[in-house]
Amino acid sequence: MRNKIAMFSDEDGRLAVRAARSVVESHVRKEKAPKLDLPSNFKNKSGVFVTLTTHPEGDLRGCIGYPEPLLALDEALRDSAVSACSRDPRFPPVKPSELDATKVEVSLLTPPEEVMVRKPAELPSHVKVGVDGLIVHRGWNRGLLLPQVPVELGWDSEEFLSQACLKAGLPPDAWLQEGTKVFKFQAEVFSEDAPRGEVRRRSLDEEHGACR
């Protein structure tokens, strides 16, 4: 387990999820966009993803965000929430009738850093499941997987790399090829227990350890 210093408090996470929920609900219902009452640190630039899942099944319903700190967090959070419920090309827009059975999760990201190794075969030893998220980049192809994905699906680091390549539209072994760049990042993840329920910080490394 890697020691990490939390950049966001549990209260920050609760506010982020509540804000994302309010944006999703107002957008889906075609209501006026809510004013977000967020602390001053949400004016700092940060990467963020908003994930929607069905409850209680836990199936993905939408996931969109900003992997890099391009916008102020409050702005990126609002845009990601709107996109997750209405612009994810994998799913139709969320309907008002679905809101009572949709959970909201927010991932607050560190800036991606390229994984530098002497040989591509060394990459799995530099990727920590339960800690790292991945971005694979080759030419015009780019794929991102959040750190909670391999934990939920029981992947090891090698499978995680292969699945990130597939997400980028590349062969699963593209991470072994020269010219493929792999970046990793970390995330503080906050999720509703149930739709509109209590918000908790997810300890992904502990979840991963419990699955082994």
Side-chain angles (χ1 to χ4, degrees):
M1 175 179 172
R2 181 183 304 174
N3 293 324
K4 295 189 295 180
I5 299 174
M7 300 297 293
F8 295 91
S9 68
D10 289 351
E11 178 64 9
D12 287 336
R14 186 187 71 80
L15 291 171
V17 173
R18 293 283 183 257
R21 160 70 69 178
S22 68
V23 171
V24 166
E25 297 212 0
S26 63
H27 186 80
V28 169
R29 291 176 174 145
K30 296 180 168 48
E31 298 171 348
K32 182 180 178 181
K35 180 180 179 181
L36 303 184
D37 185 16
L38 295 169
S40 59
N41 60 328
F42 279 71
K43 292 296 182 185
N44 298 329
K45 292 182 178 181
S46 176
V48 63
F49 268 74
V50 173
T51 302
L52 307 179
T53 55
T54 62
H55 181 76
E57 299 84 4
D59 296 328
L60 184 64
R61 188 61 182 83
C63 182
I64 298 285
Y66 287 85
E68 298 176 353
L70 301 175
L71 300 175
L73 177 54
D74 56 357
E75 184 180 350
L77 179 64
R78 181 188 293 276
D79 190 64
S80 298
V82 169
S83 295
C85 70
S86 64
R87 300 173 189 153
D88 190 324
R90 298 168 293 180
F91 305 100
V94 174
K95 300 176 181 177
S97 59
E98 296 179 78
L99 291 172
D100 290 346
T102 300
K103 279 176 54 176
V104 177
E105 181 171 279
V106 173
S107 302
L108 305 170
L109 312 186
T110 63
E113 296 182 352
E114 186 173 0
V115 184
M116 305 301 294
V117 292
R118 290 178 299 174
K119 294 185 265 188
E122 298 174 355
L123 280 167
S125 65
H126 291 264
V127 174
K128 306 297 182 185
V129 173
V131 175
D132 298 324
L134 289 180
I135 300 171
V136 170
H137 182 83
R138 184 182 181 89
W140 293 103
N141 295 75
R142 182 181 174 96
L144 178 147
L145 289 173
L146 294 171
Q148 52 266 52
V149 174
V151 173
E152 294 166 354
L153 297 177
W155 298 338
D156 59 17
S157 58
E158 188 168 328
E159 180 67 16
F160 190 15
L161 284 159
S162 296
Q163 292 293 333
C165 291
L166 290 171
K167 184 72 179 291
L170 298 168
D173 62 351
W175 59 273
L176 286 166
Q177 300 171 7
E178 294 294 335
T180 300
K181 293 185 177 182
V182 176
F183 298 80
K184 65 182 180 181
F185 59 91
Q186 290 77 50
E188 294 179 56
V189 184
F190 300 88
S191 181
E192 295 177 327
D193 284 344
R196 304 187 190 92
E198 187 172 350
V199 175
R200 301 181 190 275
R201 179 191 294 268
R202 292 184 61 181
S203 298
L204 300 177
D205 46 359
E206 293 180 7
E207 292 179 30
H208 175 56
C211 293
R212 285 184 291 183

